[in-house]
Amino acid sequence: MSTPSLPDGVAWTAVLVAAQRAAESMAAEPAFRDPLAEVTLVHLGLTRPGQAPRWDDMPGGMAGLTRLMGDMVILRTLYNDRLLTDLPVEQIVLLGAGLDGRAYRLPWAGRRIFELDRRAILALKEDVARAAGLEQTAERTPVVADLAEDWPAALLAEGFDPSRPTGWVAEGLTIFLNRAELELLLTRVGELSAPGSHLGIEVATPLRRALSDAEAADDGVSRVLSLLGSGPPTPPHDWLAGHGWRLAVRTLTELAEQYGRPVPQWFDTSRGGATLWYFDCAR
Ligand SMILES: C[S@@+](CC[C@H](N)C(=O)[O-])C[C@H]1O[C@@H](n2cnc3c(N)ncnc32)[C@H](O)[C@@H]1O
């Protein structure tokens, strides 16, 4: 069987962050295991079974990116796992789900997880999970959607119930969208959020400004920079509150302290890095 090709465009970033979760998963004392991430790398021919990713051998410049991103993906995974697990909700919506493996790794029986993303990445996930015989730990419903377009109809058609509270998550998404797209996205999420809903959303200050010219010229970094949209207004507190949410927030630096990990270089504000906020928005 030939090795499937890597997705291109922004879908490639879903492989990048899944690879970072796979590396954690295979570490000596992992903070979590992510079987979907592990088998995805093998499926794509990026590593062998039981072998952690070797960044210098990974295609598309993942090594430089991973150096700069440090444990950012691990920290946000831990933070949003806790947030979502503690919510008394039966429906979860992953906005820009990519290769998020929560439906295969968290003990969420009785919960329904709607995964919104573009067709190609959802199809890859389907193929990987089926080929590896992965068992779901929650009911998973993929929803093919462009989040910059009219996605609520597709979500409702799959059985999403707007009269019940929801746990929404937007991880690694807002940086790729433009201001007007984000305005519409937040308006729609708000319209579909019954009282008791929460939105876990990640927002960064402009990423390019936090890099030296040499760092920005790295293959993988320049690839990501070329995909960025204008993003939300920063600081985003007033914008989110203006959409009717009560905010609790942590910075990545605070999460690094909480979980005992080094502050990732790209987001080390004491050295001119970008600020990265993790909001728990409640209604
Ligand atoms: C960095 S990945 C993050 C994936 C996932 N949230 C995670 O943390 O593993 C970004 C994801 O956002 C998705 N995405 C970006 N823009 C999108 C859009 N307009 N509509 C749907 N999905 C989008 C990409 O396809 C990709 O899967």
Side-chain angles (χ1 to χ4, degrees):
M1 202 174 73
S2 64
T3 303
S5 56
L6 234 60
D8 59 7
V10 74
W12 175 80
T13 65
V15 177
L16 167 75
V17 296
Q20 295 174 350
R21 286 193 298 268
E24 176 68 19
S25 197
M26 302 186 72
E29 290 181 38
F32 56 80
R33 288 264 341 269
D34 189 336
L36 178 79
E38 290 182 30
V39 296
T40 299
L41 293 202
V42 175
H43 185 88
L44 291 172
L46 301 178
T47 189
R48 285 201 289 276
Q51 192 173 88
R54 289 151 43 120
W55 297 112
D56 287 333
D57 298 341
M58 300 285 272
M62 289 188 189
L65 270 171
T66 300
R67 248 189 320 276
L68 286 169
M69 290 168 72
D71 281 345
M72 183 266 264
V73 170
I74 310 312
L75 291 166
R76 79 176 182 207
T77 301
L78 292 170
Y79 175 75
N80 282 318
D81 279 1
R82 181 80 276 140
L83 171 68
L84 293 171
T85 296
D86 287 350
L87 291 182
V89 301
E90 289 171 5
Q91 50 187 14
I92 301 286
V93 181
L94 307 176
L95 298 163
L99 297 165
D100 184 310
R102 290 190 169 99
Y104 300 94
R105 68 181 176 81
L106 294 175
W108 284 356
R111 275 187 161 172
R112 190 146 181 218
I113 308 186
F114 297 91
E115 299 192 347
L116 273 64
D117 209 306
R118 297 216 178 86
R119 185 177 303 280
I121 196 79
L122 291 176
L124 169 65
K125 189 175 196 168
E126 214 68 50
D127 288 349
V128 168
R130 195 177 317 110
L134 284 190
E135 300 256 343
Q136 291 182 195
T137 54
E139 189 186 344
R140 174 178 168 268
T141 305
V143 182
V144 172
D146 183 339
L147 292 165
E149 302 289 336
D150 185 12
W151 51 269
L155 180 61
L156 291 164
E158 291 292 348
F160 173 85
D161 182 353
S163 71
R164 299 163 76 188
T166 302
W168 303 85
V169 168
E171 282 174 331
L173 176 69
T174 61
I175 55 171
F176 298 114
L177 299 177
N178 289 320
R179 191 71 52 88
E181 293 166 343
L182 284 160
E183 191 57 40
L184 200 54
L185 180 75
L186 221 60
T187 299
R188 288 169 167 160
V189 168
E191 287 167 355
L192 296 170
S193 291
S197 296
H198 283 245
L199 165 66
I201 186 168
E202 176 191 58
V203 178
T205 53
L207 295 179
R208 169 63 182 91
R209 277 187 223 159
L211 298 173
S212 67
D213 288 347
E215 286 166 340
D218 172 88
D219 276 0
V221 174
S222 57
R223 184 170 183 173
V224 166
L225 294 177
S226 75
L227 297 167
L228 298 181
S230 54
T234 54
H237 304 58
D238 289 350
W239 175 62
L240 293 167
H243 277 270
W245 298 101
R246 295 187 309 278
L247 310 182
V249 63
R250 314 294 298 269
T251 61
L252 187 69
T253 304
E254 290 168 333
L255 292 186
E257 281 163 11
Q258 178 182 338
Y259 290 107
R261 302 274 178 135
V263 178
Q265 191 180 329
W266 205 335
F267 306 101
D268 186 348
T269 46
S270 71
R271 297 167 53 189
T275 300
L276 196 50
W277 292 279
Y278 290 90
F279 288 90
D280 169 8
C281 306
R283 232 164 173 83

